[in-house]
Amino acid sequence: MKHEGGSCFKAKLAIRDTLDVVGGKWKLVLISVLFNGKKGFNELTRDAGISPRILSKELQELEINGLVTRQVMDTKPVTVQYELTEYSTTLHEVLFAMEKWGLQHREKVISNKV
Amino acid sequence: MKHEGGSCFKAKLAIRDTLDVVGGKWKLVLISVLFNGKKGFNELTRDAGISPRILSKELQELEINGLVTRQVMDTKPVTVQYELTEYSTTLHEVLFAMEKWGLQHREKVISNKV
DNA sequence: CAGTATCCAAAAAGATACTG
DNA sequence: CAGTATCTTTTTGGATACTG
């Protein structure tokens, strides 16, 4: 046995904690889209391919968890800019690892299917 | 702008690909549990805290994606051992990053709430 | 023990119309 | 443009009994 019960238990909990914050179908995708820089609401809707209802909910959760800021701009029809926070940079490692894995996995699947 | 449209699009797709394979509530948790070594079905049920129906489904998907092997042992009441594959090691970076993030985030939340 | 079948509850997602 | 309300559908999960 490599790990004793305690450390595995901890690992499992930590994974769960992370999933509670950025799990689900959209959050990491949204963060990766916002990596480009600020975006407006409808822009995000289009870029991520998400419906407004869900986007609104996801953004609120991301904001609550300190990963995104929402800034109301003083424009004629009010606009809003969503932007990643400084804290969100702590997720880079996760995002980068997932992006890398997705790419290599796609390669692998493609080559196995030829 | 740090990335041009193309690379962001690619990043988004890669994240999605990864989520398609190991997204959801259970897969990464199961993998982290199997990190300990082989486990039987009921053992996994207990360790992960998952119902048999879901466990069965998740394991099948993990097997299909080449992340887990299922080995039927030649014992009196048949037993089965689930084990991570060599390929699953490609996920270590993702798992490790998520574990690390979960830990630091918990720290952060706790200290902010004191 | 391993796993499936059945049934049910809850969560997540999607489409779309509508409001300031 | 930003976002909410409403309604519907799909997905996901959980309890539990049952089978080889």
Side-chain angles (χ1 to χ4, degrees):
Chain A
M1 253 174 248
K2 282 154 201 151
H3 307 322
E4 99 279 353
S7 90
C8 282
F9 183 66
K10 263 185 85 174
K12 197 184 72 181
L13 277 191
I15 301 279
R16 260 213 207 301
D17 284 344
T18 303
L19 291 175
D20 284 344
V21 179
V22 294
K25 187 172 179 178
W26 293 112
K27 298 210 176 66
L28 287 172
V29 169
L30 287 173
I31 291 172
S32 88
V33 167
L34 282 171
F35 222 85
N36 269 352
K38 310 180 186 189
K39 300 252 179 198
F41 188 88
N42 288 349
E43 213 175 343
L44 275 173
T45 283
R46 284 186 298 271
D47 289 359
I50 186 176
S51 72
R53 195 181 71 88
I54 307 296
L55 177 59
S56 175
K57 197 202 72 191
E58 301 286 295
L59 286 172
Q60 279 171 27
E61 290 168 4
L62 288 173
E63 204 187 344
I64 284 171
N65 283 300
L67 295 167
V68 159
T69 54
R70 173 180 182 277
Q71 200 178 153
V72 180
M73 311 305 281
D74 193 10
T75 51
K76 311 187 303 178
V78 171
T79 52
V80 175
Q81 295 284 330
Y82 287 95
E83 187 175 15
L84 293 182
T85 61
E86 173 67 23
Y87 181 55
S88 78
T89 59
T90 56
L91 276 171
H92 284 183
E93 218 179 303
V94 171
L95 277 164
F96 186 67
M98 288 187 73
E99 183 180 336
K100 202 170 127 194
W101 195 85
L103 288 172
Q104 74 80 29
H105 185 67
R106 179 174 282 260
E107 281 304 309
K108 188 214 164 204
V109 169
I110 289 170
S111 51
N112 284 352
K113 295 243 164 121
V114 169
Chain B
M1 256 172 249
K2 283 151 201 154
H3 307 322
E4 99 277 356
S7 88
C8 282
F9 184 67
K10 265 185 84 173
K12 196 184 72 181
L13 277 191
I15 300 279
R16 260 210 205 303
D17 284 344
T18 302
L19 290 174
D20 284 345
V21 179
V22 295
K25 187 173 177 180
W26 293 112
K27 299 214 175 60
L28 287 173
V29 169
L30 287 173
I31 291 173
S32 89
V33 167
L34 282 171
F35 223 83
N36 269 351
K38 311 179 185 188
K39 299 254 182 199
F41 188 88
N42 288 349
E43 213 177 342
L44 275 173
T45 282
R46 284 187 296 273
D47 289 359
I50 186 178
S51 72
R53 194 179 74 86
I54 306 297
L55 177 59
S56 174
K57 197 202 74 192
E58 300 286 295
L59 286 172
Q60 279 170 28
E61 291 169 6
L62 287 172
E63 203 186 344
I64 284 171
N65 283 300
L67 295 168
V68 158
T69 54
R70 174 181 182 277
Q71 200 180 152
V72 179
M73 310 305 280
D74 194 9
T75 48
K76 311 190 301 178
V78 171
T79 52
V80 175
Q81 295 284 330
Y82 287 94
E83 186 174 16
L84 293 181
T85 62
E86 173 67 23
Y87 181 58
S88 79
T89 59
T90 56
L91 278 171
H92 283 183
E93 218 178 304
V94 172
L95 278 165
F96 187 67
M98 288 186 73
E99 184 180 334
K100 200 171 128 193
W101 195 85
L103 287 173
Q104 75 80 29
H105 185 67
R106 177 175 284 260
E107 280 305 309
K108 188 213 163 206
V109 169
I110 288 170
S111 52
N112 283 354
K113 294 245 164 122
V114 168

